[in-house]
Amino acid sequence: MSDTRLHPEVTGFFDPATNTISYVVKDPGSDACAIVDSVMDIDYAAGRISYDHADEIIAYIRDKGLSVEWLIETHVHADHLSAAPYIQGKLGGKLGIGRNITVVQDTFGKVFNEGTEFQRDGSQFDRLFDDGDTYSVGAMECRAIHTPGHTPACMTHVMGDAAFVGDTLFMPDGGSARADFPGGDAGQLYDSIQKVLALPDETRLFMCHDYGPNGRDIRWETTVADEKAHNIHVGGGKTKEEFVKFRTERDAQLDMPKLIIPSLQVNMRGGELPPADEDGKRFLKVPLNGL
Ligand SMILES: [Fe+2]
């Protein structure tokens, strides 16, 4: 079990292009740290990749003298590209994601008509987490909880008194993430949210995204108690039936995320770009009417 009395230092790095928050989580007893959900920059219109956001995190880690033990992906993101391999190449650390990455790879391997060179066994990652698996960041024991619903591979990572929920929850006034991607399920998402809300009330919850609803400033940290009381989609004792009905109706009206096509092709490879052709050029595909 992770020790929820430990209070790791959590630093958030907001990416305004995708409204993603990446985190550096420092073990209170050492200089060890984990990076959760890094972002690689893309100018999709120009087909140009860059690393400003990741470089900011790298500079922070070097400045503080931290050593990276883990690069955690809470799930296969559909709205931003992971910079995990880029950061790993500079700072080391092991790359981990939920075991069901294999399900996601199978689904999108077909969607993008990938050949046999695209492995669908999760081997692009150093560790595939099962529900309840533990690992350590320095002396701090951490725990992965399987929280599917938004996607099949979603995990919530508990590190001391902090939990990184990915897209299982948004801030209380943001509610919850969509559950209509392939392999998503609104009922499963409700059950997964209940798992997060079963953590101690004072647990600090860190969001993967915030969109500043109703014009408020961007925020990414809340608590279990706050979500239970105030979350507009699940707080105040909303039933599973109410949630599933609402979520399903809402999802039917949402457009696809702007970066879903590049994000899936890169993130299902653990953040690596698709392989280069014989001239050394790399391409992303756009499946027509395929999503
Ligand atoms: Fe997501």
Side-chain angles (χ1 to χ4, degrees):
M1 286 289 287
S2 46
D3 185 347
T4 55
R5 292 165 303 181
L6 284 175
H7 187 77
E9 189 181 319
V10 178
T11 308
F13 295 82
F14 180 67
D15 175 44
T18 63
N19 284 68
T20 305
I21 303 99
S22 307
Y23 295 98
V24 174
V25 191
K26 183 191 165 298
D27 169 30
S30 73
D31 289 329
C33 73
I35 299 171
V36 181
D37 290 333
S38 62
V39 177
M40 176 164 72
D41 307 311
I42 183 168
D43 178 343
Y44 192 35
R48 192 167 295 127
I49 297 285
S50 57
Y51 297 96
D52 291 347
H53 188 73
D55 285 339
E56 190 188 339
I57 293 173
I58 291 168
Y60 173 85
I61 285 171
R62 286 187 170 146
D63 182 56
K64 299 275 180 189
L66 304 181
S67 90
V68 177
E69 297 199 343
W70 284 98
L71 297 123
I72 300 291
E73 297 291 317
T74 54
H75 61 293
V76 176
H77 309 280
D79 53 9
H80 69 270
L81 285 63
S82 168
Y86 174 78
I87 297 176
Q88 189 178 34
K90 305 224 176 249
L91 299 177
K94 293 192 285 279
L95 176 57
I97 197 165
R99 168 82 55 195
N100 277 355
I101 177 67
T102 57
V103 176
V104 177
Q105 288 176 327
D106 199 43
T107 302
F108 291 108
K110 290 190 183 102
V111 167
F112 291 103
N113 197 23
E114 299 294 346
T116 47
E117 77 282 359
F118 174 57
Q119 300 287 314
R120 296 139 206 242
D121 57 1
S123 55
Q124 300 85 347
F125 297 82
D126 300 307
R127 171 92 181 254
L128 303 183
F129 295 110
D130 289 306
D131 186 37
D133 272 1
T134 58
Y135 58 100
S136 55
V137 174
M140 175 171 63
E141 189 168 53
C142 306
R143 181 165 48 111
I145 305 173
H146 188 210
T147 47
H150 172 61
T151 78
C154 287
M155 306 290 284
T156 290
H157 286 264
V158 181
M159 303 185 187
D161 71 346
F164 299 84
V165 300
D167 291 358
T168 303
L169 275 170
F170 288 156
M171 292 296 286
D173 57 354
S176 61
R178 64 196 302 167
D180 63 332
F181 293 147
D185 184 286
Q188 271 187 357
L189 180 57
Y190 182 88
D191 294 340
S192 292
I193 290 170
Q194 301 312 310
K195 285 191 194 176
V196 174
L197 299 183
L199 293 168
D201 270 354
E202 60 280 10
T203 307
R204 294 180 289 158
L205 298 182
F206 292 92
M207 311 295 116
C208 184
H209 294 291
D210 187 68
Y211 301 93
N214 304 312
R216 73 145 162 71
D217 290 342
I218 299 293
R219 291 177 54 217
W220 51 74
E221 178 180 349
T222 180
T223 62
V224 165
D226 195 27
E227 292 281 18
K228 269 192 209 165
H230 303 299
N231 186 288
I232 56 170
H233 294 174
V234 292
K238 291 226 173 37
T239 66
K240 186 170 178 177
E241 288 66 32
E242 288 171 320
F243 176 78
V244 169
K245 181 171 187 298
F246 161 80
R247 190 69 266 169
T248 307
E249 288 171 4
R250 173 76 161 266
D251 288 350
Q253 298 175 5
L254 298 175
D255 292 330
M256 281 292 147
K258 273 200 313 265
L259 295 178
I260 187 167
I261 284 177
S263 297
L264 290 173
Q265 287 174 85
V266 167
N267 296 339
M268 71 183 186
R269 293 181 161 87
E272 298 283 0
L273 299 173
D277 70 4
E278 56 276 15
D279 296 326
K281 292 182 179 160
R282 297 176 195 273
F283 296 87
L284 292 161
K285 296 176 184 171
V286 180
L288 298 176
N289 301 321
L291 275 180

